[in-house]
Amino acid sequence: MKRPTINDLATAAGVSVATVDRVLNGRLRVREETARKVSEAAERIGYHAANVIRQRILADQPEYHVGIVLQKERHAFYQSFAANLAQAAADVHDRRIRVSVSFAQSAEPAEVAHLLQQAAGKVHAVAATGLDHHDVTDAVSRLRGRGVPTFSLLSDFAQGEREGYFGTNNMKVGRTAAWLLSKVAPRPGKMALFVGGHRYHGHALREAGFRAYIREYAPQFEVLDALVNLEARQLTQEALLGVMARHPDLVGVYCAGGGMEGAIAALREVGAGERISCLVHEITPESRQALLERRISGVFQTPLKELCTELMATIVHTIENGMAENPGQRFVVPTLWTPESI
């Protein structure tokens, strides 16, 4: 394909070649709106100097540094999350947003608290995933005292200290999971529920919503005591194999957090896909394949692009206008994938 020329860029942006030249070389001042049109057109058509144009436009714009703390660096979902955060920052055309991502090596709240505290004095705002624990709350409070707002992602924590929560309405997600499992389960029976840990606020809400729906609308099903899987594949696999051995009338499995790869492996090992329905969270290569094989019944996917875009806009607003007196929450609606929609 022929490489786009300056004439192609001028046409795409709806301006003259002379205007494009001024944007490229900065010889004469160009209106911000016009310069942005040229920059967006350059990215759209793949113009070779698109990055140069963007940097010239942003040269006089304020720059903000955002610290991000995520879990499980090697997991496909968190890799996608980090990529979406970086892209959302790059898509902010009237500010320069620099994102630094750190990954917790364990689920220990002390490590998350340490990573949060390390951000003090280095960033303008922080966003993180993690457990709801007093160590984490203390770290968030210290950051707030230094004027650094913290945003919880996916699973809420440090309510009253954090600036905002971004993720799904987890109580509603749990009720939806119970509704769906009660409809697709082959017969009345028992249901197993996995949570990453009792300190994950989001998992606790999903469990509460799940149980509430079953009690109210599907009492023919019995929800077993929640199993803590630490979001670990091997632990989930072994635990589910044990549950299936002890409860031959098991008809449903809901993984409210991570570790779903182990549940998929256990169902595949015993060939239970037809007699046990299963719901998990997040589309990854493994959950996608399990849907195609009909090993599981559905996957709730967090709309990361929408979440990250809203997060960056809120971070910029908070940095420039100050922290809110009443910290809030922003809900995104998950996508439900089934074997027929994948």
Side-chain angles (χ1 to χ4, degrees):
M1 184 180 296
K2 181 182 177 183
R3 189 166 80 163
T5 65
I6 192 171
N7 290 312
D8 296 326
L9 177 55
T11 300
V15 299
S16 67
V17 172
T19 298
V20 173
D21 182 68
R22 290 201 298 274
V23 173
L24 275 169
N25 298 291
R27 280 192 282 266
L28 293 172
R29 186 168 180 80
V30 177
R31 285 194 308 153
E32 182 179 336
E33 180 183 353
T34 301
R36 187 175 296 114
K37 284 174 59 178
V38 173
S39 177
E40 292 172 352
E43 293 184 11
R44 189 170 61 250
I45 70 173
Y47 188 67
H48 67 277
N51 287 334
V52 174
I53 295 173
R54 185 170 187 273
Q55 290 303 317
R56 285 194 180 280
I57 292 173
L58 292 176
D60 297 326
Q61 299 293 346
E63 179 178 5
Y64 301 129
H65 187 191
V66 179
I68 305 292
V69 178
L70 300 178
Q71 313 290 312
K72 297 186 176 182
E73 183 173 5
R74 297 182 180 179
H75 196 279
F77 171 72
Y78 285 104
Q79 290 176 1
S80 177
F81 203 168
N84 273 274
L85 286 163
Q87 186 59 54
D91 288 342
V92 178
H93 294 292
D94 55 354
R95 301 289 188 277
R96 289 181 290 170
I97 310 288
R98 183 160 56 94
V99 173
S100 297
V101 180
S102 300
F103 290 91
Q105 301 303 310
S106 70
E108 292 298 322
E111 183 184 5
V112 175
H114 176 67
L115 291 173
L116 290 172
Q117 290 172 344
Q118 279 189 324
K122 302 177 182 178
V123 301
H124 295 90
V126 177
T129 59
L131 297 113
D132 188 27
H133 188 273
H134 57 83
D135 285 344
V136 176
T137 300
D138 182 62
V140 173
S141 179
R142 289 173 181 271
L143 286 170
R144 185 178 182 85
R146 298 186 62 169
V148 180
T150 301
F151 298 85
S152 59
L153 305 175
L154 305 182
S155 181
D156 204 2
F157 57 76
Q159 297 89 347
E161 297 295 339
R162 54 87 171 139
E163 180 64 16
Y165 162 73
F166 283 77
T168 59
N169 183 329
N170 289 305
M171 178 72 79
K172 187 175 290 187
V173 169
R175 292 185 66 89
T176 302
W179 172 84
L180 182 56
L181 267 188
S182 69
K183 301 301 181 185
V184 301
R187 63 193 180 281
K190 296 175 181 175
M191 292 189 177
L193 195 153
F194 287 90
V195 296
H198 295 306
R199 288 282 187 171
Y200 280 110
H201 186 263
H203 297 185
L205 287 179
R206 289 173 185 174
E207 179 187 0
F210 191 94
R211 292 184 182 280
Y213 179 89
I214 295 296
R215 282 196 304 268
E216 186 175 1
Y217 293 111
Q220 69 272 29
F221 295 96
E222 176 188 350
V223 184
L224 301 173
D225 289 341
L227 296 167
V228 175
N229 64 359
L230 305 179
E231 300 199 311
R233 175 196 302 251
Q234 188 64 30
L235 184 58
T236 307
Q237 182 176 355
E238 293 173 358
L240 183 52
L241 288 172
V243 170
M244 288 189 289
R246 293 191 301 273
H247 301 282
D249 56 344
L250 187 74
V251 296
V253 177
Y254 175 42
C255 288
M260 53 94 171
E261 299 88 353
I264 292 170
L267 293 171
R268 182 180 288 118
E269 182 175 332
V270 300
E274 293 184 359
R275 60 184 177 85
I276 298 178
S277 300
C278 179
L279 294 178
V280 303
H281 280 265
E282 308 307 345
I283 285 288
T284 67
E286 291 178 272
S287 61
R288 180 185 178 88
Q289 185 60 36
L291 273 180
L292 292 172
E293 295 175 358
R294 298 180 180 273
R295 304 285 181 185
I296 57 177
S297 307
V299 179
F300 292 103
Q301 181 184 19
T302 304
L304 291 178
K305 182 177 180 180
E306 177 186 344
L307 185 155
C308 295
T309 298
E310 289 196 24
L311 174 66
M312 290 302 162
T314 303
I315 285 176
V316 170
H317 181 271
T318 303
I319 292 171
E320 295 181 350
N321 295 278
M323 289 182 273
E325 292 185 7
N326 299 304
Q329 49 193 3
R330 300 285 185 87
F331 292 140
V332 291
V333 180
T335 301
L336 174 61
W337 293 95
T338 69
E340 297 304 323
S341 63
I342 194 71

